[in-house]
Amino acid sequence: MSAEKKNLINRGRHRLEEVLPLETPYCLFIDPCSLCNFKCRFCAMQASEEPLPFKKQLMPMELYKKIIDDISGFPDKLKMLRLAAHGEPLLHPQLPEMIRYAKEKGVTEFVEIVTNGSLLKPELNQALVESGLDCIRISIEALDAEGYREITGARVDFDELLANIGDFYRRSVLAGNSCEVYVKTVDATANTKEREAAFYSLFENISHKMWIDHIIPIWAGWDDLSNRFELQQIGVHGQALREIKVCPFPLYSLVITPDGIATVCCSDWKRKLVIGDLNRQSLKEVWDGDVLKKFWIDMLSGNRARYEMCAACTYPTYNSTDNIDAYAEDILKRMECAQAVRP
């Protein structure tokens, strides 16, 4: 069966202006590993020469289980748990166990990973399918070994990559399409009609969905991206750009680094927006805490520029599905009422 040419935007999403503030975050991004076997030219975390104020590492399993257990402190399940952020999750040897633990605990409706796919092998594929994983997003960086070397700095056997993705897809189909295989690339890779057609031809029979995104300036404070690629004035999924003043992402999601630090955004690669430490706090304490609430109030009050990363960030303009600018005052009032009735 041929894959759909479709991105993964949830068309049935709630209107944020009607549900904020949330007692339970909709999404949690837990980064199992901040290391990566690629050094992609468009990735600030792996390709920037800037010194980082933390050590890249694997998340300890004990810390991971503590965070998953913390989710049960919320009144509702998460809508989505993504085991990925700034590194390659398949580098974590306990990734299938991580997925299984979250599914068995029943704390989320959906679990997905985002991977470059280069480490997929039949044995790992089977373990991931059996873990209960709902979706694997595979980022294709080039259409041949030479292109991979140029973009990622790594040697990749492209035929083997295709074979392993195909193996994963077939195992998912045999399991009743238990895990959706979503394959995507970017316009810098599929930069001609011929290459676009080649991408779709290569993956149409080994994925459920496939899509070509546009490279966008996601990394606040990293100007090298625009020097390395010709960026189009268009959104990540091809949508028209629109100015977004109130960034919606921190109002419904959190990012947890491999060492347990909580930050408000996956674009915060320099950790300028830290709001908590899951080694010392519960997830609910961070979500309900004064640091995050102050950030929300500043964002909704038009004080986004107080935060260095937010002031330099264009991610909402290029990637946000939601626009709550016109409802900021109403959300602030509801937030004040919610705070007033808290014990």
Side-chain angles (χ1 to χ4, degrees):
M1 185 177 75
S2 294
E4 292 183 88
K5 295 178 182 177
K6 185 178 182 181
N7 63 32
L8 287 188
I9 293 177
N10 181 3
R11 305 296 178 184
R13 23 186 325 122
H14 293 164
R15 293 187 64 87
L16 285 181
E17 66 271 16
E18 297 176 358
V19 297
L20 294 176
L22 298 173
E23 290 187 85
T24 304
Y26 279 169
C27 307
L28 185 64
F29 302 83
I30 299 179
D31 202 354
C33 174
S34 49
L35 300 159
C36 190
N37 58 327
F38 285 179
K39 196 175 181 179
C40 294
R41 294 177 63 234
F42 49 75
C43 177
M45 177 63 85
Q46 307 301 337
S48 170
E49 299 300 325
E50 292 187 40
L52 297 171
F54 54 87
K55 179 183 177 182
K56 295 179 183 179
Q57 65 174 80
L58 300 176
M59 175 174 279
M61 194 65 184
E62 182 179 1
L63 174 61
Y64 173 78
K65 288 184 175 180
K66 183 263 182 192
I67 296 168
I68 295 300
D69 292 346
D70 280 354
I71 300 172
S72 62
F74 290 109
D76 301 305
K77 290 184 179 183
L78 301 175
K79 294 193 177 300
M80 188 267 285
L81 172 65
R82 177 180 292 174
L83 296 180
H86 294 143
E88 172 48 57
L90 296 185
L91 284 171
H92 201 299
Q94 294 172 291
L95 183 64
E97 184 183 346
M98 288 176 153
I99 297 164
R100 185 177 298 107
Y101 189 81
K103 296 291 286 190
E104 289 176 350
K105 285 293 181 176
V107 295
T108 182
E109 297 176 8
F110 192 84
V111 180
E112 70 175 19
I113 63 172
V114 181
T115 172
N116 60 45
S118 66
L119 300 175
L120 291 173
K121 302 289 182 185
E123 184 178 356
L124 177 57
N125 292 348
Q126 188 63 31
L128 289 170
V129 169
E130 291 177 352
S131 72
L133 183 65
D134 294 295
C135 179
I136 181 170
R137 297 191 184 204
I138 304 173
S139 298
I140 300 301
E141 316 303 357
L143 299 180
D144 53 39
E146 182 180 350
Y148 264 90
R149 185 69 172 166
E150 179 184 350
I151 293 292
T152 72
R155 296 187 183 278
V156 173
D157 185 324
F158 189 71
D159 291 335
E160 184 180 5
L161 174 66
L162 286 177
N164 285 323
I165 293 173
D167 177 83
F168 188 105
Y169 174 74
R170 286 185 288 275
R171 291 174 190 272
S172 176
V173 171
L174 286 172
N177 291 308
S178 60
C179 179
E180 183 173 73
V181 179
Y182 174 68
V183 176
K184 71 178 183 69
T185 192
V186 293
D187 52 356
T189 296
N191 56 1
T192 65
K193 290 294 184 182
E194 291 75 19
R195 293 175 70 81
E196 180 179 324
F199 167 74
Y200 286 129
S201 176
L202 285 168
F203 295 99
E204 65 181 350
N205 293 316
I206 56 173
S207 65
H208 296 95
K209 292 178 183 174
M210 50 187 178
W211 190 252
I212 300 172
D213 281 335
H214 296 273
I215 291 181
I216 63 170
I218 179 177
W219 306 105
W222 190 56
D223 297 328
D224 282 3
L225 185 68
S226 57
N227 298 329
R228 298 179 182 199
F229 296 93
E230 185 177 346
L231 303 180
Q232 300 183 43
Q233 291 300 300
I234 194 169
V236 64
H237 302 302
Q239 74 274 26
L241 297 185
R242 55 178 180 172
E243 183 183 12
I244 301 287
K245 295 179 180 178
V246 179
C247 179
F249 300 113
L251 295 165
Y252 66 82
S253 64
L254 284 178
V255 179
I256 312 299
T257 67
D259 52 347
I261 299 302
T263 180
V264 299
C265 181
C266 59
S267 292
D268 184 24
W269 62 288
K270 296 181 180 180
R271 295 197 189 174
K272 300 285 188 180
L273 300 170
V274 171
I275 55 167
D277 183 349
L278 275 298
N279 294 284
R280 300 182 295 102
Q281 300 167 276
S282 73
L283 195 59
K284 193 171 190 303
E285 285 173 337
V286 172
W287 184 255
D288 292 339
D290 292 339
V291 178
L292 182 55
K293 291 298 185 293
K294 181 181 183 304
F295 181 86
W296 286 352
I297 290 169
D298 282 338
M299 185 65 63
L300 290 163
S301 302
N303 295 320
R304 177 173 156 184
R306 285 184 179 175
Y307 302 88
E308 176 189 344
M309 295 297 283
C310 297
C313 184
T314 57
Y315 189 51
T317 295
Y318 281 86
N319 196 36
S320 180
T321 304
D322 308 286
N323 185 348
I324 57 173
D325 288 0
Y327 309 97
E329 187 176 344
D330 290 338
I331 297 168
L332 269 173
K333 289 177 181 177
R334 291 203 300 269
M335 191 178 296
E336 290 170 359
C337 290
Q339 288 290 100
V341 300
R342 279 180 60 187

